Amino acid sequence: EAQVTQNPRYLITVTGKKLTVTCSQNMNHEYMSWYRQDPGLGLRQIYYSMNVEVTDKGDVPEGYKVSRKEKRNFPLILESPSPNQTSLYFCASSLSRQGAYEQYFGPGTRLTVT
Amino acid sequence: GENVEQHPSTLSVQEGDSAVIKCTYSDSASNYFPWYKQELGKRPQLIIDIRSNVGEKKDQRIAVTLNKTAKHFSLHITETQPEDSAVYFCAATPTGGFKTIFGAGTRLFVKA
């Protein structure tokens, strides 16, 4: 089944404790992206990747890191999480290396930083 | 920077009525305009999209119109049903670009 998966689905952590949210897709998609969703703000793009080893900042990259060592995986890293990073996070992938095509979203990761 | 404004933030309609959601974008280089539906507790899913070389696109009860001159695009849902209740997001992506800018979302309630 073609899909985007994220792990964990729920995470409660404390300020400053490094964490990684994994994202994997099995559709051989070139483009992958991370978004955060906050009430009243919609989906805001954190980072995106056009291909292996090629990543760039979205609108809200501060406090996040990403890597794209393999085509199928695009982990999101929070080196020192803070309470303002409490949010619902979605990973997405798209066939084209450009963003101008349908994006397939993962199930979401709800992160709480205390 | 680029932004997409979406209105209204909340929309309540009676079953069978039409619903219209409007978006305005700032980057004139945008050429791809998707609409995503997000049901409660679920992931966003594409319902329809339009490119800048097309003015209107329909798919059964949903349609999208684009006015590039005014930098507006709208989602139209006819004969609304309770299962249309969800949050709808518009988005814009520039030509040859990689960033996707989403609107803040519209929560649609369809009353039976």
Side-chain angles (χ1 to χ4, degrees):
Chain A
E1 180 191 352
Q3 59 183 345
V4 179
T5 57
Q6 294 178 228
N7 282 292
R9 295 289 313 281
Y10 303 90
L11 179 59
I12 300 174
T13 190
V14 296
T15 299
K17 187 176 181 182
K18 180 179 178 179
L19 66 92
T20 299
V21 184
T22 64
C23 173
S24 184
Q25 51 91 8
N26 63 0
M27 296 172 279
N28 201 36
H29 281 175
E30 301 273 357
Y31 180 93
M32 297 186 75
S33 183
W34 276 102
Y35 298 90
R36 60 178 289 173
Q37 182 175 11
D38 302 289
L41 297 177
L43 292 155
R44 293 182 293 166
Q45 196 168 35
I46 303 170
Y47 270 94
Y48 56 88
S49 170
M50 301 78 86
N51 209 335
V52 174
E53 301 291 4
V54 184
T55 64
D56 205 351
K57 297 176 182 178
D59 281 337
V60 289
E62 296 77 21
Y64 304 95
K65 285 175 58 177
V66 293
S67 68
R68 187 96 180 270
K69 293 183 169 54
E70 307 165 277
K71 196 172 188 179
R72 63 183 293 128
N73 296 322
F74 190 45
L76 179 70
I77 302 154
L78 284 71
E79 295 269 4
S80 183
S82 62
N84 64 11
Q85 293 178 299
T86 292
S87 187
L88 177 59
Y89 291 86
F90 286 101
C91 178
S93 72
S94 180
L95 181 61
S96 170
R97 63 184 57 202
Q98 296 178 0
Y101 287 87
E102 176 177 6
Q103 293 188 50
Y104 295 84
F105 285 81
T109 294
R110 188 165 292 281
L111 172 66
T112 302
V113 183
T114 61
Chain B
E2 305 97 336
N3 78 300
V4 174
E5 292 189 4
Q6 184 171 346
H7 299 281
S9 57
T10 306
L11 179 59
S12 184
V13 300
Q14 205 67 36
E15 183 179 3
D17 287 350
S18 295
V20 180
I21 302 170
K22 299 182 179 182
C23 289
T24 303
Y25 60 97
S26 62
D27 186 352
S28 57
S30 296
N31 78 330
Y32 176 65
F33 307 93
W35 286 88
Y36 289 84
K37 175 183 180 182
Q38 185 181 30
E39 297 176 352
L40 190 63
K42 301 284 183 65
R43 70 192 79 188
Q45 290 188 292
L46 182 79
I47 54 170
I48 195 167
D49 56 13
I50 192 168
R51 297 186 184 276
S52 60
N53 58 345
V54 176
E56 182 175 359
K57 184 176 178 181
K58 288 186 72 172
D59 183 3
Q60 300 183 338
R61 295 186 298 108
I62 60 173
V64 56
T65 58
L66 172 64
N67 182 331
K68 281 223 78 177
T69 303
K71 293 192 279 187
H72 289 169
F73 58 113
S74 300
L75 178 71
H76 304 253
I77 306 174
T78 58
E79 301 172 24
T80 53
Q81 301 167 3
E83 52 265 39
D84 294 329
S85 296
V87 178
Y88 291 82
F89 293 100
C90 62
T93 300
T95 303
F98 305 97
K99 275 189 181 182
T100 301
I101 309 296
F102 280 83
T106 295
R107 186 173 295 277
L108 173 64
F109 296 96
V110 180
K111 295 176 287 187

